[in-house]
Amino acid sequence: FFVILVGVLFIFGENYLNGKAIVCVTKNDYANQYCWLHGTGHLSANFGKEFTKCSMDQDEVTEKNDRETHYYLWLPFILLLCMGLIKIPRVIWKTLCERGIMASLVGDEAQTGEKIVARFKKLKRRSVPYHVYFAVCELLNIVIILLCFQILDSLLNGKFWMYGANVSNYYKDKLTPEDQNNNSGLEKTNPMCNLFPTEVACNLCTGSIGGGCNDKSSFLCILSNNLFNQYFFLILWFWWVFLLFISILGLLYRAAQMSIPSFSKAVFQTYLTPYGLEYPEWKLVLRPADYFLLGRLAINVKGSTMEAVINELMYKGKKPSKEEETIRVTISNGQSSGEEQNSGEE
């Protein structure tokens, strides 16, 4: 969300608050505005390669198959749309799925372990849907990222899906200056310039009273905004790919947690370990969804409260037997000794 917000602010400011979003060879204000709206990627043969540094691939954008560049005008609005879409899973979770379950379970700071357990037992019938809805919202996160990819790809003429990969391949296989001089025909167009050129052509036609194009002129224009766009959308591409990777791993993790009871037990124990709480696992037998709900509870309460909750669940308000307490203390002490030994070795 923050990454997109930065892009929206910068691109909107550059496009609409910067009076020099486009600068053309001609000093005519009408021509500048026309070119801002109708600039094209194909450069006339009059402009040799020595005059251009960052333009579209001229083998791809020919005179008959030209590509206009007005889509840059819509970038901040499309990014705003993506910002809204990215918030959808959280809104759905908070308003339709979670609906204050955790708040009612945690209660106020004075809430005792006994009261929390009593509330937990009432909510157990909702723990399975709670767990499933959480997983669905995680899946929805993946769908939203893919949808944003598709929206931007449609706006950017089908060049965004592979943008980051193409840029990586370009710099990996880039020719040295010596090879470029010896084999100029092998030089490839930079994908960053192909999608966000800083130099575009403008074909301006002046009409006449009798109709038709009386005077047609073609000149170069500079889109300095695209220097920011090149790197921002590259960062955005890699960030979304990273989020997709993490989200897919998270979905596999969630599937294992939902289907393997022993795994869900182990995950729940990781929430207790930071509080120094260790219990004989055989004493607490719950469904995976119940362990998940308790894990969410552990994130939102103090360690002492969580200890009281677990004791209430395991021993039903009774104090643990001397043998059980000995086992728990031994496990905790063993962990502490191991940590001290590790610290000493360091």
Side-chain angles (χ1 to χ4, degrees):
F1 182 85
F2 177 75
V3 175
I4 298 179
L5 179 61
V6 170
V8 169
L9 294 176
F10 270 86
I11 296 173
F12 187 87
E14 288 179 332
N15 281 4
Y16 298 100
L17 302 180
N18 179 12
K20 294 185 178 180
I22 187 170
V23 177
C24 297
V25 173
T26 176
K27 294 184 179 180
N28 186 326
D29 289 340
Y30 169 78
N32 278 355
Q33 190 62 28
Y34 177 86
C35 296
W36 175 237
L37 297 173
H38 303 289
T40 62
H42 175 67
L43 302 181
S44 171
N46 298 329
F47 308 121
K49 285 190 175 181
E50 61 272 15
F51 295 108
T52 58
K53 301 297 182 184
C54 186
S55 60
M56 289 185 183
D57 186 351
Q58 296 305 297
D59 293 329
E60 182 181 329
V61 283
T62 61
E63 187 173 358
K64 292 183 180 179
N65 185 33
D66 207 348
R67 195 164 81 212
E68 291 194 353
T69 58
H70 61 270
Y71 53 81
Y72 305 130
L73 302 172
W74 298 100
L75 285 177
F77 304 105
I78 294 300
L79 288 176
L80 277 173
L81 174 62
C82 287
M83 283 178 63
L85 290 174
I86 286 171
K87 281 292 184 181
I88 287 177
R90 178 175 175 79
V91 171
I92 290 176
W93 169 250
K94 285 293 184 182
T95 58
L96 300 178
C97 304
E98 210 278 338
R99 291 185 297 179
I101 289 177
M102 192 53 55
S104 67
L105 188 59
V106 173
D108 54 33
E109 292 185 359
Q111 188 90 306
T112 63
E114 184 179 355
K115 289 182 179 179
I116 291 177
V117 169
R119 181 62 181 159
F120 170 73
K121 289 179 178 178
K122 290 181 181 178
L123 290 172
K124 280 181 70 175
R125 59 187 177 82
R126 296 173 61 182
S127 64
V128 173
Y130 186 85
H131 200 182
V132 171
Y133 293 153
F134 193 87
V136 169
C137 288
E138 288 181 319
L139 176 61
L140 189 57
N141 278 325
I142 296 175
V143 173
I144 292 297
I145 293 175
L146 292 174
L147 180 60
C148 288
F149 256 109
Q150 182 58 43
I151 291 172
L152 276 176
D153 189 68
S154 300
L155 177 68
L156 299 175
N157 297 312
K159 299 292 182 183
F160 188 69
W161 268 113
M162 299 298 295
Y163 180 56
N166 290 338
V167 172
S168 297
N169 291 333
Y170 170 78
Y171 281 105
K172 185 176 67 174
D173 302 330
K174 188 177 180 181
L175 298 175
T176 63
E178 184 180 349
D179 291 336
Q180 290 177 13
N181 292 331
N182 297 333
N183 304 284
S184 58
L186 296 178
E187 187 179 355
K188 297 180 180 178
T189 302
N190 188 334
M192 299 170 78
C193 293
N194 194 30
L195 183 55
F196 299 106
T198 57
E199 295 160 323
V200 296
C202 183
N203 301 311
L204 183 63
C205 183
T206 304
S208 62
I209 297 176
C213 184
N214 184 43
D215 183 22
K216 186 176 181 179
S217 56
S218 181
F219 42 85
L220 278 175
C221 297
I222 300 296
L223 287 173
S224 57
N225 298 357
N226 275 348
L227 192 59
F228 172 80
N229 292 336
Q230 288 174 1
Y231 291 96
F232 169 75
F233 283 94
L234 183 64
I235 292 170
L236 183 64
W237 190 91
F238 279 110
W239 176 242
W240 279 354
V241 168
F242 173 75
L243 289 181
L244 276 175
F245 177 73
I246 295 298
S247 298
I248 291 171
L249 287 181
L251 204 59
L252 295 174
Y253 162 83
R254 191 69 60 209
Q257 190 182 23
M258 294 174 71
S259 57
I260 306 173
S262 59
F263 182 73
S264 55
K265 271 187 184 181
V267 171
F268 174 58
Q269 184 59 57
T270 62
Y271 290 109
L272 301 180
T273 301
Y275 300 130
L277 303 176
E278 290 285 351
Y279 293 88
E281 291 186 4
W282 63 84
K283 277 289 184 181
L284 195 61
V285 181
L286 298 169
R287 298 173 301 175
D290 299 331
Y291 282 118
F292 174 75
L293 187 57
L294 285 174
R296 301 292 296 176
L297 174 66
I299 297 173
N300 291 278
V301 297
K302 297 178 181 178
S304 57
T305 304
M306 199 63 208
E307 183 176 15
V309 169
I310 299 300
N311 284 335
E312 183 69 26
L313 281 171
M314 290 177 63
Y315 309 115
K316 297 181 181 178
K318 300 176 184 178
K319 289 186 177 180
S321 66
K322 185 178 266 187
E323 182 183 351
E324 290 168 336
E325 185 63 27
T326 301
I327 292 173
R328 192 168 76 83
V329 171
T330 301
I331 293 173
S332 299
N333 290 341
Q335 275 196 334
S336 301
S337 300
E339 289 173 2
E340 289 175 4
Q341 185 177 357
N342 290 336
S343 300
E345 290 176 356
E346 290 175 1

